[in-house]
């Protein structure tokens, strides 16, 4: 279906692909036994990172290390086909590949579950990431530490 100005209405091809990936993830979660779920989820995340482009892979690997070291209570899992980290099954933070999303940079973001609310009334919920400088790593590490239990 198209709008009166000729533009497409509804989901883009990338959005439909992400929805299909999420549906597949949910089906896969239902079939896994409780005992192996955490380890299998982390293997899925690591496999997804290994499949990333040469530009996204080192950033995703470093972010994975930051999150799993700084907030070991967060469980790696796939979310819309991308690496994410959850507490009690609810995603707290996530990495989005810029190459997969056909964007010029990747994104590291936080959901409302992160509870990063600031008294000033404004706080970061996502960051554009093209590479991780020491300053960028320090910023992300500090934010992940805030969400760690």
């Amino acid at each position: 279906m198209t709008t009166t100005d000729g533009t497409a209405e509804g989901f883009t091809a990338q959005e439909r692909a992400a929805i299909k990936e999420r549906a597949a993830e949910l089906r896969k979660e239902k079939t896994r036994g409780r005992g192996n779920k955490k380890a299998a989820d982390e293997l899925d995340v690591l496999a997804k990172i290994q499949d990333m482009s040469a530009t996204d892979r080192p950033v995703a690997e470093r972010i994975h290390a930051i999150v799993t070291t700084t907030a070991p209570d967060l469980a790696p899992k796939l979310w819309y086909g991308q690496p994410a980290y959850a507490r009690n099954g609810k995603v707290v933070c996530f990495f989005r590949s810029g190459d997969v999303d056909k964007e010029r940079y990747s994104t590291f973001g936080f959901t409302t579950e992160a509870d990063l609310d600031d008294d000033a009334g404004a706080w970061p919920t996502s960051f554009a990431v093209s590479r991780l400088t020491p300053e960028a790593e320090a910023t992300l590490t500090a934010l992940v530490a805030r969400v760690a239990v």
Side-chain angles (χ1 to χ4, degrees):
M1 191 156 130
T2 58
T3 61
T4 55
D5 68 356
T7 58
E9 197 175 285
F11 296 111
T12 66
Q14 291 165 313
E15 290 168 331
R16 283 191 301 276
I19 290 167
K20 286 179 184 177
E21 285 226 37
R22 182 64 181 139
E25 291 162 9
L26 292 171
R27 285 190 299 274
K28 191 183 233 182
E29 284 178 14
K30 284 177 111 176
T31 63
R32 288 188 172 152
R34 268 196 150 1
N36 296 329
K37 186 176 180 338
K38 186 175 179 179
D41 284 348
E42 183 159 16
L43 287 175
D44 288 345
V45 167
L46 293 172
K48 179 58 82 171
I49 291 171
Q50 287 307 304
D51 287 344
M52 289 181 181
S53 69
T55 54
D56 278 343
R57 187 180 320 110
V59 174
E61 287 173 339
R62 189 65 198 124
I63 285 175
H64 180 76
I66 288 169
V67 175
T68 56
T69 301
T70 307
D73 65 305
L74 298 182
K77 66 183 278 178
L78 291 178
W79 191 53
Y80 295 99
Q82 296 293 306
Y85 305 87
R87 180 183 303 117
N88 300 324
K90 295 184 179 183
V91 171
V92 174
C93 56
F94 57 90
F95 177 81
R96 295 286 313 163
S97 163
D99 287 341
V100 169
D101 289 342
K102 297 185 180 4
E103 298 288 342
R104 64 183 182 88
Y105 54 81
S106 296
T107 306
F108 182 68
F110 297 89
T111 68
T112 56
E113 294 296 322
D115 196 23
L116 290 175
D117 302 36
D118 191 310
D119 289 339
W123 54 90
T125 59
S126 66
F127 293 85
V129 182
S130 59
R131 60 192 174 89
L132 286 176
T133 63
E135 295 84 8
E137 281 194 30
T139 297
L140 296 183
T141 300
L143 286 167
V144 170
R146 282 182 54 188
V147 303
V149 173

